[in-house]
Amino acid sequence: ILHRDVSAGNILITPDRSGLLIDWDMSKRMDMTRQRQHSHTGTWQFISTGLLLHPHARSHQISDDIESFYWVLIYIVKKCRHSVIEG
């Protein structure tokens, strides 16, 4: 199953410090992603570069979700680095 909307707002940290991916409204089974899609899904700041540059050239793939996790990581590290250094 592809999430298709991995973003900082869709990842929760639980009290035991594990992560929980929420908001599966846009998800699709991998075998269903080949169907024609008229609109793009996802939070644009975290969408993979391939989907941003060529939005209708191919269907959403697992590599796009993985790249979205990477962009979320970069965003969180950059946003929170001062609070970690000062704290």
Side-chain angles (χ1 to χ4, degrees):
I1 296 176
L2 298 174
H3 189 276
R4 300 181 343 135
D5 189 18
V6 175
S7 66
N10 288 340
I11 300 173
L12 299 179
I13 304 301
T14 64
D16 65 349
R17 296 185 179 191
S18 61
L20 179 64
L21 188 58
I22 62 168
D23 194 11
W24 289 83
D25 296 344
M26 302 291 187
S27 67
K28 275 194 175 180
R29 289 179 28 174
M30 289 179 65
D31 59 355
M32 305 265 309
T33 59
R34 295 187 193 272
Q35 297 175 357
R36 187 140 177 90
Q37 187 178 336
H38 298 289
S39 63
H40 256 308
T41 59
T43 306
W44 72 268
Q45 295 94 329
F46 306 110
I47 294 176
S48 70
T49 54
L51 289 177
L52 286 174
L53 293 173
H54 309 285
H56 300 291
R58 62 180 177 86
S59 62
H60 194 103
Q61 301 171 2
I62 194 164
S63 59
D64 298 309
D65 273 1
I66 293 170
E67 185 177 340
S68 293
F69 279 113
Y70 170 77
W71 293 123
V72 169
L73 176 65
I74 296 299
Y75 170 80
I76 296 296
V77 167
K78 189 167 175 78
K79 181 179 177 185
C80 298
R81 65 187 166 123
H82 292 295
S83 62
V84 172
I85 293 171
E86 295 168 2

